[in-house]
Amino acid sequence: MKISVLGTGRWASCVALCLDRKNHNVLMWEREHEGRPESTLFTTRKNQYVTLSENVDFTHDLKKALDYGDVVVISILSQHLDSFFQVVKAVPGYEKKRYILAMKGIEATTGRRLSEIVMDNGVNKENIAVWVGPGHVQNISAGQPTDMLISAYRPDFAKELIDEFRNPGLLDLVYSEDIVGSEIGAAAKNVMGIAAGILEGSNLEQKKGPLMPASVKEIGKFINAMGGDEVSAQGLAFLGDFQATLFDKNSKNLTFGTQIVKQKTTDREILQSTIDVGSVEGIMTAKALIKNMIRFNARVSNDKQLKMPITESVDAVVSNRVPIDRAGLYISGKITEALDLN
C-alpha cells in the first residue's frame, strides 16, 4: 500500500517503522514551522528510537501527503486534532480519504472521541478507523513483539488494514467491532497510568494490583453509558495496555504521576524539566471523561448516576485540589471505592 503518515513524533515514527518493515511505501508529513528546525527523523530518517529505510519519504506539503496515500494515518497530540483538521480541510478532496487514527485521547473542551472530531470535520464515518493498544516504540524497535487492535465503523475496512499491517513476530493485530469502547478505553488507560505513577511515587505500588480491576470496572461502566460494550474495557485497548502504561518506565503518564510526588509539585513548568508535560495525554483525558460523566448524569435518574472515583481523583491531584503529600493515599481510597461500584 501507499500510506501517508501525518506527524513525525515518537509514535508516528513507530507506525512508520512497522509499515516500513512490511515493505509498504510510506510518506511522512511534518508541519513546517518558521524558526523551528526540522526533526532529526525528517532530515536523517533516524531519531533516538528508530531508523527507517530509504523506502520512507518525507514532505512538508500536506496536499502531497493527502494525495499520496491509499490510507492516511494521523499520529499527533489528540487535543490538537480539531485544529489540525482546520488545516486539512483546505486541501480539496480531503473528505474522500480513508483515515486511521493512531492516537489516544478524548477532546477535553467538548468530550468528543477522536473519530467524532473527524466526522464533525466532514469525513464519512465509513472512512475512519482507529489503531490502538499496547506498545512503546523503544520496545517495538528493539524487536519485542506486541498485539494491537484496529477498529472501524466499517468492519471490512478494519479487516483490510489488519491483513495489510499485521507482521507476525513483531506486530499482531486483532479486530474489535466496538469503536466506541476501543477509543474510550485507549484514552482512559492514560488516566490510570497517572494514578499508577502517583501510587508508585508514594511507595504504594502494591495498590497497582487493586487499581487494575477497579479501573476496568469504572471504565467499563463508562463505556456502557457512552453506547459502547463494557467488555471492551477488558480488551487490548484498556486492560491489555496496562503493562505498557502502569508498569513500563517508558510510559509518559506513569512517569508524570511519579514525578508529581517525587518533586512535590503539580507545577508544569517545574515538571517540564523531567518530562514533556504537553504530551501526557491522561491530564486532559481525565477532564474529558468527567465532562461526559456530568452530561450523562444530567440526563438520567438518581439511581442510574455514573460514578468515576479514580478518574476524578486523578483530576483532583493534577489540578492541585489535593495536597501532594496526601495524593497517594487519596487515590488509594478511591480505588477501593471503585471496587465497590454497583
Side-chain angles (χ1 to χ4, degrees):
M1 297 180 76
K2 294 167 67 177
I3 303 167
S4 300
V5 178
L6 307 185
T8 52
R10 180 166 74 167
W11 189 249
S13 72
C14 186
V15 168
L17 177 73
C18 292
L19 298 176
D20 185 26
R21 288 184 177 177
K22 278 285 288 185
N23 296 315
H24 292 297
N25 298 305
V26 179
L27 176 64
M28 299 193 76
W29 172 85
E30 179 175 84
R31 187 192 299 269
E32 191 171 20
H33 293 280
E34 185 177 349
R36 185 188 302 177
E38 294 168 333
S39 68
T40 57
L41 188 70
F42 192 98
T43 55
T44 68
R45 290 190 171 82
K46 298 178 183 179
N47 60 19
Q48 66 187 100
Y49 311 110
V50 306
T51 299
L52 303 175
S53 79
E54 294 294 322
N55 291 331
V56 179
D57 288 323
F58 294 83
T59 185
H60 290 307
D61 187 335
L62 184 58
K63 183 179 186 304
K64 179 180 177 180
L66 287 171
D67 289 345
Y68 177 84
D70 299 317
V71 294
V72 178
V73 180
I74 303 178
S75 183
I76 62 174
L77 292 175
S78 64
Q79 302 302 318
H80 296 169
L81 184 60
D82 187 63
S83 61
F84 177 57
F85 256 91
Q86 307 315 305
V87 180
V88 171
K89 285 161 68 173
V91 179
Y94 82 94
E95 74 280 4
K96 298 175 183 177
K97 303 302 294 189
R98 298 188 297 169
Y99 294 93
I100 307 164
L101 301 174
M103 46 199 294
K104 303 168 183 178
I106 299 174
E107 191 174 49
T109 54
T110 66
R112 290 181 295 177
R113 291 179 287 109
L114 303 184
S115 68
E116 291 178 310
I117 294 172
V118 178
M119 285 188 282
D120 286 346
N121 279 284
V123 178
N124 190 301
K125 70 178 183 180
E126 304 296 315
N127 290 329
I128 302 171
V130 299
W131 178 358
V132 297
H136 287 298
V137 59
Q138 297 93 326
N139 300 330
I140 292 173
S141 63
Q144 296 182 28
T146 190
D147 292 65
M148 298 187 74
L149 176 153
I150 290 183
S151 186
Y153 289 98
R154 183 162 54 87
D156 61 327
F157 180 28
K159 291 173 183 177
E160 175 193 356
L161 295 174
I162 288 170
D163 290 340
E164 290 286 352
F165 294 0
R166 177 183 281 143
N167 190 355
L170 178 69
L171 177 67
D172 263 311
L173 293 163
V174 300
Y175 167 68
S176 170
E177 64 182 12
D178 181 22
I179 192 169
V180 174
S182 296
E183 286 191 274
I184 292 172
K189 64 89 185 178
N190 287 326
V191 179
M192 302 308 158
I194 295 175
I198 293 170
L199 293 172
E200 187 172 307
S202 305
N203 294 317
L204 293 168
E205 195 162 5
Q206 188 165 262
K207 286 290 285 192
K208 286 186 184 180
L211 172 63
M212 289 188 282
S215 60
V216 168
K217 195 170 188 179
E218 177 173 308
I219 299 305
K221 289 181 179 297
F222 180 84
I223 289 172
N224 182 65
M226 297 299 112
D229 184 348
E230 63 184 279
V231 174
S232 292
Q234 302 170 27
L236 285 176
F238 188 67
L239 178 61
D241 209 349
F242 275 8
Q243 186 279 330
T245 307
L246 270 63
F247 298 96
D248 193 313
K249 300 306 180 185
N250 292 315
S251 168
K252 290 184 179 181
N253 293 279
L254 177 73
T255 301
F256 175 73
T258 305
Q259 288 301 316
I260 285 175
V261 179
K262 285 188 174 181
Q263 298 193 47
K264 297 182 173 60
T265 183
T266 59
D267 187 299
R268 297 188 184 191
E269 290 189 9
I270 296 174
L271 294 169
Q272 195 72 26
S273 64
T274 307
I275 185 171
D276 177 13
V277 178
S279 65
V280 179
E281 296 278 14
I283 300 170
M284 302 309 290
T285 297
K287 296 184 183 304
L289 294 173
I290 294 167
K291 183 183 292 290
N292 281 327
M293 177 192 71
I294 292 170
R295 286 176 179 166
F296 176 82
N297 287 344
R299 300 194 304 266
V300 300
S301 59
N302 289 337
D303 61 326
K304 295 181 180 179
Q305 295 286 293
L306 192 60
K307 296 179 181 179
M308 304 188 74
I310 303 173
T311 302
E312 290 186 287
S313 69
V314 169
D315 182 61
V317 171
V318 301
S319 298
N320 208 33
R321 299 195 302 273
V322 174
I324 298 299
D325 59 359
R326 289 184 48 225
L329 289 173
Y330 180 72
I331 285 180
S332 176
K334 296 300 181 178
I335 290 170
T336 304
E337 187 177 322
L339 285 169
D340 287 334
L341 288 175
N342 293 323

